[in-house]
Amino acid sequence: MDSTPARPPAASLPLAEDGYPAAGGVTRRPAGAAESARANRGWWDAAAPAYLAEHGSDLGDADFLWCPEGLREADAHLLGEVAGRRVLEIGCGSAPCSRWLRTAGAAPVALDVSGGMLARAAELNRSTGIAVPLLQADAGALPLADASVDLACSAFGGLPFVADATAVLRDVARVLRPGGRLVASVNHPMRWPMPDSPDPADLRVVSSYFDRAPYVETDDAGATVYVEHHRTIGDWVRAVVGAGFVLSDLIEPEWTPGRTETWGQWSPERGALMPGTLIFVAHLPG
């Protein structure tokens, strides 16, 4: 039974000066699946306007950006041939990746836990004229039939925010057809023990890489409003393989030459020194 304090409605989350939900407190402690999903749904509902105002022009309305380093699917071709394929995007946000997939001839389904993000996705469906199906659901409980999609992708989507990555990936494996491919980008695990800063001078270890205790933000009443989970590279490999996938590649994208965007702790200066993203490419047997 989940005994954590109930999260207040998204509309009541106080916002900081930057437009993002303000944290009353920050801690590192265990956080289960229900607590993580509930908190992150509300946080992203409240944060959607600020997040898209800050990053929307970089993400685009119909573009597939894998990571802050600037790697795009149009150049990387990590998904392989997408024309005629049914694709599930997990953690779609405003769904630019799914709209890009639609223009490439795929039949995408864009899934996100946040109604706030999906509301913006619906607006962009209308304004771009590129309509993709939108589905509000937790990544840990995919409302899709077994073996119903050919490809699954997640570009910094739901995976860093779920408590049990293996369980989520097993559900992804369930909805994929035999031989189906999964490609997902996540925070590079080596970012976890270092300060959340784009300044190369802050490249110093301040906590243990092996500390898996989630990062948890709470409001002034102690209710959980945001949860992010840390996994080592080995944890991610075991989660992918443990879900039944064959891991074919691990990619640590280098910073795109000429790219000047600073995105949180990602920056050209820091990106020249160490990776900020881990992308795993895997497929089911058969």
Side-chain angles (χ1 to χ4, degrees):
M1 181 176 179
D2 191 346
S3 60
T4 56
R7 176 193 56 79
S12 70
L13 289 180
L15 301 180
E17 291 184 0
D18 60 3
Y20 289 91
V26 174
T27 186
R28 297 282 300 278
R29 61 162 175 78
E35 180 184 4
S36 299
R38 184 175 62 244
N40 288 322
R41 180 182 299 112
W43 193 92
W44 283 105
D45 283 349
Y51 179 84
L52 294 173
E54 183 178 5
H55 300 299
S57 61
D58 195 27
L59 292 167
D61 294 341
D63 198 1
F64 200 129
L65 179 67
W66 278 112
C67 54
E69 286 84 357
L71 183 67
R72 285 178 155 79
E73 178 60 15
D75 301 313
H77 307 292
L78 300 182
L79 292 172
E81 179 58 53
V82 299
R85 305 292 182 88
R86 191 173 190 219
V87 186
L88 170 64
E89 183 186 2
I90 302 165
C92 68
S94 59
C97 297
S98 283
R99 278 186 292 277
W100 181 90
L101 287 164
R102 184 70 187 88
T103 65
V109 176
L111 178 146
D112 203 281
V113 73
S114 167
M117 281 291 188
L118 291 176
R120 179 57 178 156
E123 293 174 1
L124 289 171
N125 275 355
R126 292 188 290 270
S127 65
T128 62
I130 307 169
V132 298
L134 304 174
L135 186 60
Q136 184 173 10
D138 182 3
L142 301 175
L144 298 173
D146 294 359
S148 59
V149 299
D150 302 297
L151 300 168
C153 60
S154 183
F156 273 79
L159 295 180
F161 306 102
V162 299
D164 189 339
T166 301
V168 170
L169 292 172
R170 282 176 180 155
D171 207 34
V172 175
R174 175 186 65 80
V175 304
L176 277 171
R177 297 187 176 107
R181 181 179 296 193
L182 165 68
V183 185
S185 59
V186 297
N187 298 328
H188 196 287
M190 277 306 300
R191 292 278 167 152
W192 190 260
M194 299 184 184
D196 187 7
S197 164
D199 189 344
D202 289 328
L203 286 177
R204 64 186 191 280
V205 174
V206 295
S207 63
S208 173
Y209 173 78
F210 301 104
D211 182 2
R212 275 83 163 181
Y215 170 89
V216 178
E217 293 182 1
T218 58
D219 64 12
D220 291 335
T224 306
V225 297
Y226 179 91
V227 181
E228 189 169 341
H229 294 266
H230 167 60
R231 295 169 181 95
T232 66
I233 294 176
D235 291 340
W236 278 118
V237 170
R238 284 185 288 275
V240 172
V241 174
F245 288 96
V246 176
L247 184 65
S248 56
D249 202 0
L250 281 175
I251 301 166
E252 297 166 298
E254 295 186 41
W255 197 267
T256 299
R259 179 172 168 82
T260 59
E261 188 81 15
T262 294
W263 190 318
Q265 62 181 247
W266 288 264
S267 67
E269 296 79 14
R270 188 162 174 169
L273 299 175
M274 66 172 292
T277 298
L278 182 68
I279 303 176
F280 50 87
V281 181
H283 65 274
L284 291 179

